[in-house]
Structure formats: C-alpha cells, structure tokens
Amino acid sequence: MPENPVALTVADVLALPVLAAGLPEVVVGEPGLRRPVRWVHITELTDPASFLKGGELVLTTGVPLPGDTSEVRRYVDELADAGAAALVLELVRRFHRAPDALVRACRARDLPLVTLARDVNFLEVTQVVHALILGNQAEVLRRTQHIHDTFTALTLRGAGPEDVVRTAAEMGRHTVVLENLAHQAVLCEPVGVSAEEALAHWERRSRSAAVEDRTTLHEPDGWLTTPVEFQGERWGRVVMLPTPGTPGFSAEDVTVLERAAMTLTIARLIHTTSWERRAHRHVLRDIAEQRHRSPAEARARAGALGLPTTDATFLAVLVDTRHDATEVETLIAPAFERTGLVGALEDRRVGVLLALRRGQSWQPAVERLSRTAREADPDAVVSVGCEVGDLSHVARSFREAGRVAEAVLPGSDRLYHQLADIGLRHLLHTLRTDVRVQDYVERQVGRLVEHDAKHGTDLLPTLRHYLDAAGNKTVAARRAGLSRQTLYERLRALERLLDRDLEVGEQRTELHVALIALAVLRMTAPPSPTST
C-alpha cells in the first residue's frame, strides 16, 4: 500500500546537519534514496542482519567488514534481504574510499551505499533521527485521529453523501468520485483538475479498473478504490484519483478513503432518497439554472450519469403538480433513466431533461411523460420548451418551458402545452399580477363595470358579444338574444359611457383586450408553486 506521507527518506536523513557535516557521498543506489527510514542502526558486527526488521539506515565505521570478496557479498546480501534502507560507511578509521567489492555487491542488490569523508557522531545521528521518526509517528497518529473524528462527526449529524465526498476530497487533496454498480458517477468532487477532465469517458475508464472487495490501487491509471455497501450488499465504490504533480497516494489517503466509504454506508441507511435520484436532481438544477462552471462540465456530469450527450437533441419539460413534487418525480424517473434527467426543481414542480436521437420526434416521449405524471396527479400541467441541439442551450429550453407554464390557464385539460399554444388570453394570464395590466383594465372598462353593478344593467356582456363578433351587429344581437334595435340602443349607451367610437378598429381592439384581461383577472387560479 502507499507509503506514509510524513516518513523520513534516506535523502532526508542525509540532508540533516548532523550527517551533512560528514560530507556524505552516494556511491551507488541513488534511486533508493527515496526509501523510507524506519530506524537507525549502528553496528560493527559482520552479521548485523539478524538485528534488523526492515527500513533501517545502517551506520558503520567499516572496521568489522570482511576482507574476502565472497564474505562482503554475503554481508550485503543479508542487509538487502533484511530490508535495510541504506548502508552508510564512515571513511575515517579503516577505509579512505569504499572497497570495490562492497561497491559491486551494493550495486548488484540495489542497496544505496553512502560514504562519509569526515568523522560523525553516530550516537548523535541516532538521537536526532529517532526523535524525528517518533515525532512523525505521533503526527501520523494525530492526523489519523483527526480523520476518524471528522468522519464520525459527519455520521452523527446525518451528513449526506455530498458532504462526505467533499470532505474526503479536501482531506486527501485528491479528486473523489462516488459511483454505483452501473459505473455511473453519482458524485464528483474535483481537486487539481476540472470536473470534465475527471469524468471524461468515465464508464469506459471505470470498467477497466476491476471492482474489488477491498481497498485497491489500480495500475496504470493509479486509481485508489474501496467498496461502499448497503444492507450487506455491494452498492458501488468510492474512487480517489491521482492529482497531477503529486507523488501518488499515502497511507493517510487510504485511511481517508476507507473512513469515507464507511460513513457513506451509514449515510445510505439514513437517507431514504436514492443517491442516483439526488445526483440527477442536482445536475438537472445546475444545467437548468446554468450553475455549472462550463458547458463542458455540464456535459461531463450528465454523461457520467448515463445521459447521452453526443449526437442528440435536448428538450426541457416542466411538470407542475398540486402534490409533493418528489412523488411525481419518483413515478416519472424509472421510465426515463437512460434517456433523461428527472428531478424536483421546486416543491410543486418537476423538471425533466430529455435526450433524443437526432431526427427523433419528441411528441411520443412527452405524451408518455404526461400520462405518467397524471397517474400521480390528474391535474398536473406539463409544459414543453424548445428543442435544442446542444446541452449548453438547455437553460433556454427550460426558460421557455417556464414561460409556457406561467401562461397555462386554470382548468386546461390539454395533455401538454408548448409555446405555439400560447395566445393573447394566455399572455394576459401570465401578466395578470402586473399593476400596469390591472390599471389598463380599470381605465378601459372600469366605469362600465361600476355602471352595471350600480344600475343592474348588462352593458358589459353586450360589449363582449359585439367585440367577439368583430363588430358584426347581426351576429352580436343573435348571440346576446337581443333585437337589433335594442342592440343599437345599448351600443350608443356604451359609446357615451366609455367616450369611445365603436366603429374605430383600434378602439374596439383596446376594449377587447381589456375585456379579455378582465376575464383572466376574475379567474380563480390554482395556488402557485412554492419555491424552495
């Protein structure tokens, strides 16, 4: 497994002033200077390997070194077999340069050989290095405890998967991805790279890293993975990706990843909403509201959830309901798992992003969606935006669907609504709360409404029949059930009351718009969706 990030290496020890004073020179084995040093061992024995456990920096004056070449080779073989980190030879008492046999033997076993040209106090070296090692070990314990405490706190406060993944990424300083068994990236917290870089071709890359029952480092991509379970069954896994410019993973990273997986397992038991649904909801909201950092990130996140993002067109659909939006979402989502993103956008509104093959008609999919939505709420209103050719334009489709939803008249029984269905009455319904519209209605026909209320007359219905008949008096009289003479008298009364000439087309249009707006204002509209 990965090495501890705070372990001293052979190179670190050689750079310490206590050893640097001896003018250390690396004779062979320079690549081995990255080896961690677990301890320092001073020896003048010809068989020191029996006292080693691995990772020791062996210090010797060379006095006991055998003179026979085969014995020198045996001496080095035993050190290498015991896992010694390096051999340091002081050139003061017996040797003035490293023996050739020793150099050859160390080179053959890739054991770093370092010589010291000046006298060094070996005891002081052990004191300094051991103090640093013990200090580092204490720091490792402190940081490990901090990791455990952090994830325990997340568990106790019932944190969701987003918080857990974000914390793992921050503590490990690596990108962390939570994926399910279908190799869909449910959550991604990028570090050092963009989300689109981290999630590019995610499913293909993920399938090349075999799923294991334990924490595993996958080569050559360098992924560190550990499984996430739910009720005793594997649910997916959490993946830590290497950060460019950093030296791989540490033992601390392993701890972070394993504690994150354990916390996620507990979180999966606490939170009833499936993580896939949460992921769809978050990605959909980011796309609809253009909260993503770039179009490329939006494509990467949506694609990692299984949505087709190439060679496709996209359509935004809104479902407004009198019920809890999550109920409708739960009913709709299974039918569009592979061709759309479904998520509650507000308490009473569900958003759907459909991905269609180029040239494919969207009407059948929307009709199926509408019928499914009405199984949960017979009064659900389905509004459709414009079809767009790129995911980066989906926000425009959602805005259009929102305008359509605002214009739908109460009681409409259409299966779905689109912008082409929106006429003057729908437009005025959309603008019904605008005080300028209300003021316009009052100025145009307010006196007429008051006159009918005060005198018990029916001039307002007469005007409506006349305007609906486009000024045709014969048709207006028949629709109103009046004689032509009575109609003429009422029209003259209307002209006097409103100070209008009903033979002028523009004035008739102004009055007609005012009457339509008045009818819209008098409608009993359903309660508006409450924003989250």
Side-chain angles (χ1 to χ4, degrees):
M1 294 305 297
E3 299 293 348
N4 193 303
V6 294
L8 287 175
T9 65
V10 174
D12 295 332
V13 174
L14 295 180
L16 294 173
V18 68
L19 262 179
L23 303 179
E25 178 185 352
V26 180
V27 181
V28 295
E30 187 168 350
L33 298 184
R34 293 190 295 272
R35 295 178 182 177
V37 175
R38 190 187 62 82
W39 208 244
V40 176
H41 183 70
I42 304 171
T43 182
E44 300 298 343
L45 300 175
T46 57
D47 57 345
S50 59
F51 297 95
L52 305 181
K53 294 184 178 180
E56 291 88 356
L57 186 75
V58 178
L59 305 179
T60 182
T61 61
V63 171
L65 280 177
D68 183 71
T69 299
S70 61
E71 286 299 308
V72 170
R73 189 163 54 249
R74 178 196 56 77
Y75 177 85
V76 171
D77 284 343
E78 290 183 359
L79 291 179
D81 292 341
L87 175 62
V88 178
L89 173 63
E90 184 185 75
L91 302 178
V92 175
R93 291 167 176 78
R94 178 179 176 186
F95 300 106
H96 296 290
R97 68 181 184 86
D100 292 339
L102 182 63
V103 172
R104 288 193 299 271
C106 288
R107 180 179 292 114
R109 293 303 307 267
D110 294 324
L111 178 68
L113 174 62
V114 181
T115 58
L116 301 176
R118 294 181 181 176
D119 187 31
V120 170
N121 187 326
F122 283 176
L123 182 60
E124 186 178 354
V125 171
T126 61
Q127 290 174 337
V128 170
V129 176
H130 290 173
L132 288 172
I133 291 173
L134 293 174
N136 283 347
Q137 290 175 348
E139 174 66 11
V140 169
L141 291 175
R142 186 192 68 79
R143 292 172 67 173
T144 300
Q145 187 61 47
H146 174 63
I147 293 170
H148 286 283
D149 291 345
T150 299
F151 284 103
T152 299
L154 289 174
T155 299
L156 292 177
R157 68 178 176 86
E162 299 86 0
D163 290 336
V164 178
V165 171
R166 185 181 307 111
T167 300
E170 290 173 352
M171 298 192 80
R173 298 177 297 280
H174 293 284
T175 296
V176 176
V177 178
L178 174 65
E179 70 165 17
N180 59 18
L181 286 179
H183 299 275
Q184 294 175 340
V186 176
L187 287 172
C188 173
E189 192 65 33
V191 174
V193 295
S194 62
E196 55 265 33
E197 291 175 305
L199 296 176
H201 309 293
W202 179 262
E203 183 176 348
R204 175 178 57 78
R205 292 162 57 206
S206 175
R207 290 185 182 279
S208 68
V211 176
E212 303 285 351
D213 292 328
R214 56 184 175 80
T215 303
T216 306
L217 181 63
H218 299 270
E219 298 294 352
D221 291 337
W223 286 17
L224 187 65
T225 67
T226 199
V228 175
E229 295 186 350
F230 176 55
Q231 296 181 342
E233 299 289 336
R234 187 190 298 120
W235 176 87
R237 61 182 175 177
V238 61
V239 182
M240 186 174 282
L241 304 181
T243 302
T246 61
F249 299 111
S250 66
E252 185 176 308
D253 293 330
V254 174
T255 302
V256 167
L257 197 66
E258 291 179 342
R259 286 294 286 131
M262 185 182 301
T263 306
L264 286 167
T265 296
I266 298 173
R268 189 69 184 83
L269 295 171
I270 295 174
H271 298 279
T272 55
T273 303
S274 78
W275 291 347
E276 290 89 348
R277 290 262 45 80
R278 292 168 67 109
H280 277 230
R281 194 178 300 161
H282 292 158
V283 172
L284 183 68
R285 288 176 179 175
D286 287 348
I287 292 175
E289 300 173 17
Q290 292 185 304
R291 296 189 300 194
H292 42 72
R293 296 183 181 88
S294 67
E297 178 182 314
R299 283 190 291 271
R301 288 186 179 274
L305 287 174
L307 184 77
T309 58
T310 59
D311 195 29
T313 59
F314 304 94
L315 187 76
V317 183
L318 296 177
V319 180
D320 290 321
T321 173
R322 294 174 183 266
H323 302 323
D324 187 339
T326 56
E327 296 178 13
V328 180
E329 172 193 334
T330 302
L331 192 62
I332 293 174
F336 297 93
E337 284 182 344
R338 301 299 298 179
T339 58
L341 296 178
V342 181
L345 300 179
E346 300 173 1
D347 288 346
R348 300 287 185 267
R349 172 170 285 181
V350 177
V352 182
L353 172 59
L354 295 177
L356 308 163
R357 297 189 306 275
R358 293 194 181 277
Q360 178 186 0
S361 173
W362 56 263
Q363 283 85 354
V366 173
E367 290 174 1
R368 180 160 55 98
L369 188 157
S370 301
R371 292 190 178 93
T372 303
R374 291 191 176 184
E375 291 177 15
D377 179 8
D379 297 320
V381 175
V382 177
S383 307
V384 182
C386 55
E387 191 173 6
V388 296
D390 190 89
L391 203 63
S392 60
H393 300 148
V394 164
R396 174 162 57 88
S397 184
F398 271 105
R399 286 194 296 269
E400 182 174 303
R403 290 197 297 270
V404 172
E406 291 174 356
V408 174
L409 295 171
S412 174
D413 59 355
R414 293 179 63 91
L415 200 56
Y416 61 85
H417 304 266
Q418 55 182 318
L419 196 59
D421 302 326
I422 306 305
L424 177 60
R425 190 176 299 271
H426 301 85
L427 177 62
L428 292 173
H429 176 68
T430 304
L431 302 174
R432 66 191 180 279
T433 59
D434 193 315
V435 294
R436 292 170 295 182
V437 173
Q438 298 169 10
D439 179 66
Y440 176 81
V441 171
E442 190 63 27
R443 285 188 289 105
Q444 293 290 332
V445 297
R447 282 176 294 172
L448 178 57
V449 174
E450 293 173 1
H451 182 276
D452 277 353
K454 184 176 181 180
H455 299 285
T457 56
D458 292 323
L459 293 180
L460 182 67
T462 301
L463 178 61
R464 181 176 293 113
H465 286 304
Y466 175 71
L467 295 175
D468 286 345
N472 188 314
K473 297 182 180 65
T474 301
V475 174
R478 185 175 67 251
R479 291 177 176 175
L482 302 172
S483 67
R484 289 173 62 86
Q485 186 63 34
T486 303
L487 178 68
Y488 292 156
E489 291 174 359
R490 290 190 180 187
L491 291 178
R492 285 193 293 271
L494 283 166
E495 288 181 328
R496 288 193 303 271
L497 180 62
L498 299 175
D499 192 22
R500 290 282 180 156
D501 185 348
L502 296 180
E503 296 298 325
V504 178
E506 184 175 343
Q507 293 187 19
R508 285 211 308 260
T509 301
E510 291 173 350
L511 289 170
H512 203 181
V513 170
L515 289 182
I516 295 174
L518 177 63
V520 167
L521 290 172
R522 286 177 168 178
M523 286 179 177
T524 303
S528 301
T530 304
S531 299
T532 56

